[in-house]
Amino acid sequence: MSAPDASPLRLGIAGLGTVGIGVVKIVQRHAEMLEARTGRKVVITAVSARDRTKNRDADLSSYAWEVDPVALATREDVDVFVELMGGHEGAAKDATMAALKAGKDVVTANKALLAHHGQALAELAEGAGRVIRFEAAVAGGIPVIKALTEGLAGNAIRRVMGVMNGTCNYILTRMETAGLPYETVFEEARQLGYLEADPQLDVGGIDAGHKLSILAAIAFGTKVSFEHVVLEGIGCISIDDIRRAADMGYKIKLLGVAQMTGRGLEQRMMPCLVPAASPLGQLQGGTNMVVIEGDSVGQIVLRGAGAGEGPTASAVMGDVLDIARGTRLPTFGQPAARLADPIPAAVSAPAPYYLRLQLLDKPGALAKVAAALGDAGVSISRMRQYGHADTTAPVLIVTHKTTRDAIDVAIAALPATGVVEGQPVALRIEEV
Ligand SMILES: NC(=O)c1ccc[n+]([C@@H]2O[C@H](COP(=O)([O-])OP(=O)(O)OC[C@H]3O[C@@H](n4cnc5c(N)ncnc54)[C@H](OP(=O)(O)O)[C@@H]3O)[C@@H](O)[C@H]2O)c1
């Protein structure tokens, strides 16, 4: 057995924002502990950000400063390039590729980069005998990549689910607890700085979809295919939906689900109803939760902070310490060359659906709706009608298991009944 490497592990950190400064603080605060745990000193040799004059709440005076992240990534005195800038093109991609080509290992928190270029980066890293690690890219501080690639490696994974965008979960739970409409809570979230510069990344499900595509690749041994994630945001959810769902024993979550079925790989990130008493149903505020189902282990539930300086830096450091110890795993848990091209499922597995309609106060209205659903092959499990506000009344329907296609056919037939006003809301009820 060769002697373990006792030389210092030298980090070059590009990006000194929330996560980058969090990493600097851990390296400085826990220097002795990190050395004790890995047998090597973990040191920072160089850093990079856009604005050198910014006050960053950390002492950076002993580190070299590089204006260009590519120059940082390829420095002689850098062993691990730590990419904490963000964005899936430009500096993050260029510097990451340059680092791998220059024989450096890479640690990143960048889900967009992995979702868009995961396969190319994995092939580049593995071809060069290097590793690219990204624990912080999915569900912040929750060590879910490690759980899938290591602790659960002996399981065939059946399904991975998760609430992985804290901002959306904050908005939905705040709407419920404060009884406020979506638009008001959205504005609150913006003022609190919870939303990305482009809010669609959060409320449109894109950020969470990036994370789901990374988990699906690891869970099912397929190339990352973000382009096949079915995305729906939370903008269509009203306070009425949240209240009515609660009446029927459900909570509404922006839930990601990936599963391999006989029809192919399903990846969907959309608002769903989950039982209020389930762990996912009980998740409050900005917290994240990932649920993994393996054939031997059954169901595992991981819960924790999905963002923020400390939790995200904690995940980055987990990866850095693995590299310091010499742990070297293939990027997505198996060699990139062996990852299959995913066949996306054309239709998702059948499930019960929640339907909310605004019914006109006319004789026989309910019977007409039931007939339209029946004609589309959708059968009703439960129905609840609320009092008339004016000329219309909300009606809630929970269907038996059906497909999204059948629901869409039924919805398309409703205007012809002459008893439904406005656009019905249809949400999948996920069995968790
Ligand atoms: N924040 C979280 O809670 C969290 C959680 C999970 C994952 N992540 C991921 O972690 C990464 C970093 O996020 P963050 O929240 O720390 O971002 P941030 O606070 O906006 O910081 C980004 C940093 O990158 C620097 N930067 C941006 N473009 C650059 C360029 N072209 N050249 C050099 N430096 C550049 C910025 O420099 P200046 O400071 O000079 O502007 C800044 O220091 C992203 O990929 C994000 O998706 C973040």
Side-chain angles (χ1 to χ4, degrees):
M1 212 170 86
S2 58
D5 191 347
S7 63
L9 184 77
R10 301 165 301 175
L11 312 182
I13 302 178
L16 297 169
T18 306
V19 186
I21 289 299
V23 170
V24 169
K25 286 180 185 168
I26 295 180
V27 171
Q28 293 179 348
R29 189 170 65 229
H30 290 315
E32 272 181 36
M33 183 188 82
L34 303 181
E35 185 177 358
R37 289 183 176 170
T38 62
R40 305 174 70 177
K41 283 190 194 313
V42 176
V43 298
I44 298 167
T45 46
V47 294
S48 177
R50 279 178 300 215
D51 178 359
R52 193 170 183 177
T53 63
K54 215 185 244 183
N55 179 7
R56 298 190 189 266
D57 185 29
D59 180 4
L60 306 173
S61 56
S62 57
Y63 312 141
W65 182 276
E66 288 283 358
V67 173
D68 177 8
V70 173
L72 174 82
T74 52
R75 280 173 69 106
E76 281 280 308
D77 60 0
V78 165
D79 302 310
V80 181
F81 174 60
V82 185
E83 188 283 302
L84 302 171
M85 295 177 286
H88 61 82
E89 300 299 338
K93 183 182 170 203
D94 295 347
T96 298
M97 296 187 84
L100 293 170
K101 285 181 187 157
K104 317 292 184 187
D105 293 321
V106 173
V107 175
T108 178
N110 191 334
K111 53 253 172 185
L113 183 70
L114 267 297
H116 287 277
H117 306 295
Q119 183 66 20
L121 291 172
E123 286 173 10
L124 181 59
E126 291 168 32
R130 308 320 308 173
V131 294
I132 174 165
R133 309 275 313 232
F134 45 87
E135 184 66 76
V138 181
I142 302 176
V144 59
I145 308 287
K146 218 174 208 332
L148 274 173
T149 53
E150 298 184 43
L152 302 175
N155 286 261
I157 301 299
R158 294 195 173 124
R159 188 165 62 152
V160 181
M161 295 181 282
V163 170
M164 296 183 286
N165 183 281
T167 303
C168 287
N169 206 47
Y170 165 82
I171 290 176
L172 292 172
T173 48
R174 172 101 176 118
M175 282 169 73
E176 179 177 16
T177 51
L180 292 170
Y182 173 81
E183 293 71 21
T184 308
V185 179
F186 177 91
E187 204 40 52
E188 260 184 28
R190 188 203 293 281
Q191 275 168 22
L192 287 166
Y194 291 176
L195 284 161
E196 299 268 358
D198 172 6
Q200 270 310 104
L201 287 174
D202 289 312
V203 297
I206 298 166
D207 162 86
H210 286 152
K211 298 169 185 169
L212 185 72
S213 70
I214 296 170
L215 291 185
I218 299 170
F220 304 112
T222 50
K223 293 176 185 166
V224 185
S225 59
F226 170 65
E227 67 278 16
H228 295 136
V229 179
V230 178
L231 287 179
E232 277 176 34
I234 61 168
C236 65
I237 305 297
S238 72
I239 182 70
D240 274 353
D241 290 317
I242 290 177
R243 288 190 181 129
R244 309 294 184 219
D247 283 354
M248 297 177 105
Y250 296 105
K251 300 278 181 183
I252 299 179
K253 299 288 168 193
L254 178 68
L255 184 68
V257 179
Q259 65 188 126
M260 189 63 86
T261 70
R263 293 171 297 273
L265 177 64
E266 277 185 39
Q267 300 179 88
R268 49 177 189 273
M269 179 59 67
M270 52 177 63
C272 289
L273 271 66
V274 296
S278 65
L280 282 163
Q282 289 178 5
L283 194 66
Q284 293 286 315
T287 313
N288 281 202
M289 182 173 284
V290 183
V291 178
I292 305 171
E293 293 169 357
D295 62 345
S296 297
V297 75
Q299 194 179 74
I300 297 275
V301 178
L302 302 166
R303 177 182 185 281
E309 178 183 305
T312 315
S314 155
V316 170
M317 288 309 295
D319 284 342
V320 167
L321 265 57
D322 264 354
I323 292 171
R325 289 168 167 146
T327 305
R328 307 188 79 75
L329 297 174
T331 318
F332 293 101
Q334 57 182 279
R338 294 196 49 168
L339 295 168
D341 286 309
I343 299 165
V347 288
S348 49
Y353 276 79
Y354 156 102
L355 278 178
R356 178 168 60 83
L357 324 164
Q358 210 55 34
L359 207 62
L360 288 167
D361 183 16
K362 288 187 178 172
L366 271 179
K368 286 184 182 167
V369 167
L373 264 59
D375 289 347
V378 176
S379 64
I380 295 172
S381 164
R382 283 195 279 163
M383 176 144 62
R384 186 173 289 185
Q385 185 166 15
Y386 291 81
H388 288 82
D390 38 50
T391 55
T392 66
V395 170
L396 291 191
I397 294 171
V398 172
T399 72
H400 286 293
K401 272 192 185 181
T402 185
T403 61
R404 180 72 213 200
D405 281 357
I407 291 286
D408 288 342
V409 169
I411 289 178
L414 288 175
T417 62
V419 295
V420 175
E421 194 178 81
Q423 182 62 21
V425 172
L427 298 171
R428 187 181 165 97
I429 302 179
E430 196 68 40
E431 290 173 344
V432 299

